[in-house]
Amino acid sequence: MKVLKWWSRELACREAVALFSDYIEGALPPRRKAAVERHLQACADCGRYLDQMRATIRVLGHLEPDDVPAPAMDELLEVFRRFHAEEEGGSG
Amino acid sequence: MLPSAVTATLRALQPVCRVRSQTVSDSELVERLRAGDEHAFAELVSTYQQPLVRLALTFVPSRAVAEEVVQETFIGVIRGIGRFEGRSSLKTWIYRILVNRARTTGAREPRHVSLGEDRDGLAGRFSADGAWTDPPSAWPDDVDDRLSAPQVARRVIVAIDDLPGLQRQVVTLRDVEGLSSAEVCELLEISEGNQRVLLHRARTKLRAMFEDELAVERRS
Ligand SMILES: [Zn+2]
């Protein structure tokens, strides 16, 4: 009973914030999820924090890699060609 | 020989054909690779080169070593594609070759999931009973554009690089490369629970880093 109570009681901001990544993941058990949503309804600060975490994930998803030098494409194509020539020739 | 113009075109197309928005189906690409289709292979290299370098860098200490690991990975693909059974996606299969190569090449740091205290950039922002004392201030509406600006993006890459090993790998694979949590757990051989803890920590630190970026912008 004590565990159940802990599971469903009201969350402090510090605790809510610690659950947001799992909340976004859809990985919280139903009572925890409900507790997070109750907290969010009452707390604009945590709502803002959650939005910011979502924005962070969005920006990471659009991160363009810094310049990678031209791939060693020619060398790889040579390996590819040789591999298939050997396969067709049936010898190594 | 593939004309260099084709290679250049493929390279120019790279931003639009990022791995997660790939349109050619795995099975079609695999068939063409097995048949020795050079264009298909060049396309594969162009599509995966950058994500693989980025992933390799989360395992090995230098760019040079990472590029070597990626080169070995592509050679592994050439030799192994005949045995690819399609039980996982082609992407996961290629990433697994890379992770295996990277692990044997010399890791950056010991590999363990620390579940102890971890700095999250939120120290001192809550009262003893856990309420905000220094709540987050609103971010501007154009936050996505601001944080995606090239000079910020470079600092984000550095910030990801500064994360502890597994946090760096998990956030790179999940949030930057867009893999599912199941794929990431399988690739890194960690439990779902640990994956979530690591992801939470990495996201928390990166949000704090973005907050700092925006605060600096506001002051200047
Ligand atoms: Zn709150």
Side-chain angles (χ1 to χ4, degrees):
Chain A
M1 273 301 123
K2 231 179 182 168
V3 174
L4 269 183
K5 213 171 166 191
W6 174 77
W7 221 224
S8 56
R9 75 178 161 73
E10 300 312 315
L11 298 167
C13 297
R14 184 73 167 118
E15 298 167 302
V17 160
L19 295 172
F20 285 162
S21 178
D22 284 2
Y23 178 68
I24 293 167
E25 294 286 291
L28 289 177
R31 278 167 199 275
R32 283 307 245 183
K33 178 167 177 263
V36 166
E37 282 166 354
R38 269 198 316 278
H39 186 93
L40 285 169
Q41 265 166 20
C43 181
D45 288 338
C46 282
R48 198 171 299 130
Y49 186 96
L50 177 64
D51 288 344
Q52 293 176 0
M53 191 157 242
R54 289 203 167 109
T56 301
I57 296 167
R58 246 185 354 258
V59 170
L60 291 175
H62 290 114
L63 199 60
E64 288 301 333
D66 52 353
D67 292 334
V68 171
M73 183 73 93
D74 293 344
E75 191 190 324
L76 284 171
L77 279 171
E78 188 52 44
V79 175
F80 186 77
R81 230 172 273 133
R82 222 179 317 124
F83 182 80
H84 284 280
E86 282 168 15
E87 277 210 322
E88 270 166 36
S91 66
Chain B
M1 184 79 197
L2 197 71
S4 62
V6 174
T7 324
T9 308
L10 287 171
R11 216 170 287 148
L13 282 173
Q14 219 154 290
V16 274
C17 56
R18 296 194 59 173
V19 176
R20 75 176 74 99
S21 57
Q22 209 176 322
T23 48
V24 183
S25 78
D26 275 6
S27 54
E28 193 186 325
L29 187 54
V30 169
E31 275 318 304
R32 287 167 64 194
L33 291 172
R34 283 179 179 160
D37 180 338
E38 285 179 25
H39 286 82
F41 183 68
E43 196 180 309
L44 179 104
V45 172
S46 295
T47 307
Y48 284 100
Q49 175 90 10
Q50 297 198 351
L52 288 177
V53 169
R54 188 149 56 189
L55 179 56
L57 275 169
T58 69
F59 285 91
V60 300
S62 76
R63 179 122 224 157
V65 178
E67 279 165 18
E68 214 170 281
V69 167
V70 170
Q71 199 79 351
E72 288 169 5
T73 300
F74 283 125
I75 292 171
V77 170
I78 294 173
R79 296 189 197 286
I81 196 72
R83 295 190 300 275
F84 174 72
E85 291 172 350
R87 276 203 294 254
S88 60
S89 69
L90 183 64
K91 179 167 77 174
T92 312
W93 182 75
I94 294 173
Y95 281 19
R96 195 175 309 125
I97 295 175
L98 178 119
V99 169
N100 290 336
R101 295 298 321 166
R103 285 225 179 102
T104 55
T105 300
R108 277 167 62 148
E109 58 215 43
R111 194 185 126 76
H112 64 274
V113 184
S114 155
L115 298 177
E117 272 305 303
D118 194 54
R119 297 193 39 188
D120 59 7
L122 291 172
R125 300 193 55 176
F126 298 95
S127 64
D129 59 1
W132 286 104
T133 51
D134 179 15
S137 42
W139 286 2
D141 290 339
D142 61 346
V143 63
D144 288 47
D145 293 338
R146 284 178 195 236
L147 293 175
S148 302
Q151 68 275 21
V152 182
R154 269 194 295 279
R155 286 197 288 274
V156 177
I157 289 168
V158 171
I160 294 174
D161 200 54
D162 283 343
L163 295 170
L166 276 166
Q167 285 182 37
R168 184 172 65 226
Q169 285 154 11
V170 168
V171 82
T172 299
L173 287 166
R174 284 297 314 281
D175 290 344
V176 182
E177 300 302 340
L179 268 64
S180 73
S181 64
E183 287 174 318
V184 172
C185 291
E186 193 199 327
L187 270 177
L188 300 179
E189 295 167 356
I190 54 177
S191 71
E192 288 269 350
N194 282 347
Q195 191 252 177
R196 285 201 299 273
V197 171
L198 293 159
L199 188 58
H200 160 72
R201 288 180 174 175
R203 285 170 172 175
T204 302
K205 286 179 199 162
L206 293 170
R207 191 216 61 92
M209 181 251 170
F210 286 169
E211 185 172 57
D212 291 345
E213 283 288 336
L214 293 164
V216 169
E217 258 186 44
R218 245 196 313 269
R219 275 199 299 273
S220 58

